[in-house]
Amino acid sequence: MDNISRLMFAVVMAMAYMAMGAEAQNTTMAPNSNATMANITMAPNVTMAPNVTMAPNVTMAPVVNPVTALTVNISMAECKKSQLCAAKPPDCDPAVAGSCFFVSIKKSLGQIFSFQLRGVSSGYIAVGLSKTSTQGQNDTTYVCANSNRKVKFFTALLDKGVLTVNNKLPVESVKGSVNGQTIQCTFSATVPNATATRTIDTSYYLSISNGTFNSVTDTLGSPQAILNSDKAVDLADPNTTVLNSLNSAPSAFCLSQALLILIGVLGMMML
């Protein structure tokens, strides 16, 4: 090999060596592959919604019984036939204008009865059913009130002279009319059993009353008794005669006055 060849070989080797060094220098070694994982913060424990507090017991507003117009006058035509009737004055005709308080009751099925009630009041009229002779002990009471010349119907309990509206007694098909101070209403009601005191579960002390009514607050005044039956009557028996215990015999004072007058007359006759 001549000198030129040796020189060329040396140059080529030098260039190759330099190329290898540059490649090694440009190569960056990967860092340790043991990668440090970032600490992953897990979502915090989910706090469940607190126990749901149910709404407190809601006192439902009393149900108002719808009333449709009564277009005919209440009649006594079926008294002693299919209807038990009671009135003050006795045997007064509810179809005739005047101060007549009247109720008729007709059995439909089981404890379901049809009622007709007529009376005179600027407030309300009512018919009551009592299981005992001592009336006013949570007696079932059906009320027809004059509310701005229209009938408003309530069911209530009479206790110690106070009428408390509850509108929980089963009633349907209520109709009513107001003409001046004359109130009429008809309705169908499921009456409670009376077997706690008697063997006949439709036997009650019957009453008719009236009282004041505040149409703004729907407040019923204390009832004024018009008629109280002198004994328990079977509502299912149309032949029952209802006597008013309020039409009592003359008081002892009246009898004594009459006796004094009689003695005075006899004394004058003997002179």
Side-chain angles (χ1 to χ4, degrees):
M1 181 178 296
D2 57 12
N3 290 333
I4 295 175
S5 298
R6 290 192 184 96
L7 179 60
M8 292 294 296
F9 178 77
V11 171
V12 171
M13 292 297 294
M15 291 177 66
Y17 177 78
M18 291 174 65
M20 292 177 60
E23 184 180 357
Q25 194 173 27
N26 290 333
T27 304
T28 302
M29 297 299 292
N32 292 337
S33 60
N34 293 331
T36 303
M37 300 295 292
N39 290 334
I40 300 174
T41 304
M42 301 298 290
N45 292 335
V46 178
T47 302
M48 299 300 291
N51 293 336
V52 178
T53 303
M54 300 300 291
N57 291 335
V58 178
T59 301
M60 300 298 291
V63 176
V64 177
N65 295 283
V67 181
T68 57
L70 180 63
T71 58
V72 296
N73 286 328
I74 289 174
S75 169
M76 60 184 299
E78 290 299 314
C79 292
K80 296 288 186 180
K81 298 177 183 178
S82 63
Q83 297 173 346
L84 169 94
C85 296
K88 182 179 179 179
D91 299 322
C92 66
D93 188 350
V96 177
S99 181
C100 177
F101 290 85
F102 175 88
V103 64
S104 71
I105 306 172
K106 178 181 179 181
K107 182 172 182 176
S108 298
L109 179 65
Q111 295 295 115
I112 303 175
F113 289 82
S114 297
F115 288 78
Q116 294 186 121
L117 180 63
R118 191 264 196 199
V120 178
S121 176
S122 60
Y124 71 84
I125 58 174
V127 56
L129 305 176
S130 176
K131 296 180 181 180
T132 66
S133 58
T134 305
Q135 298 181 356
Q137 297 181 334
N138 283 327
D139 298 346
T140 297
T141 308
Y142 305 101
V143 181
C144 301
N146 179 351
S147 179
N148 299 317
R149 296 181 295 278
K150 293 183 179 180
V151 168
K152 199 164 190 177
F153 186 87
F154 304 93
T155 64
L157 296 177
L158 175 62
D159 188 39
K160 299 179 178 64
V162 178
L163 272 175
T164 301
V165 175
N166 62 8
N167 284 339
K168 296 179 180 178
L169 301 175
V171 174
E172 59 184 14
S173 303
V174 183
K175 296 182 180 181
S177 67
V178 176
N179 183 8
Q181 292 192 1
T182 300
I183 304 173
Q184 297 186 108
C185 63
T186 64
F187 57 94
S188 178
T190 302
V191 304
N193 288 334
T195 52
T197 55
R198 286 174 296 284
T199 56
I200 301 176
D201 59 6
T202 56
S203 183
Y204 286 92
Y205 287 85
L206 184 65
S207 67
I208 302 175
S209 61
N210 66 358
T212 60
F213 174 66
N214 187 323
S215 61
V216 176
T217 61
D218 284 354
T219 303
L220 301 172
S222 297
Q224 177 68 40
I226 304 297
L227 179 148
N228 287 335
S229 65
D230 65 337
K231 62 182 179 180
V233 294
D234 183 5
L235 305 184
D237 184 3
N239 292 314
T240 300
T241 298
V242 180
L243 298 178
N244 189 356
S245 65
L246 300 180
N247 295 335
S248 57
S251 65
F253 176 79
C254 293
L255 289 175
S256 62
Q257 291 291 316
L259 182 60
L260 288 174
I261 293 173
L262 178 61
I263 293 174
V265 172
L266 291 175
M268 292 179 66
M269 293 175 62
M270 294 176 65
L271 292 177

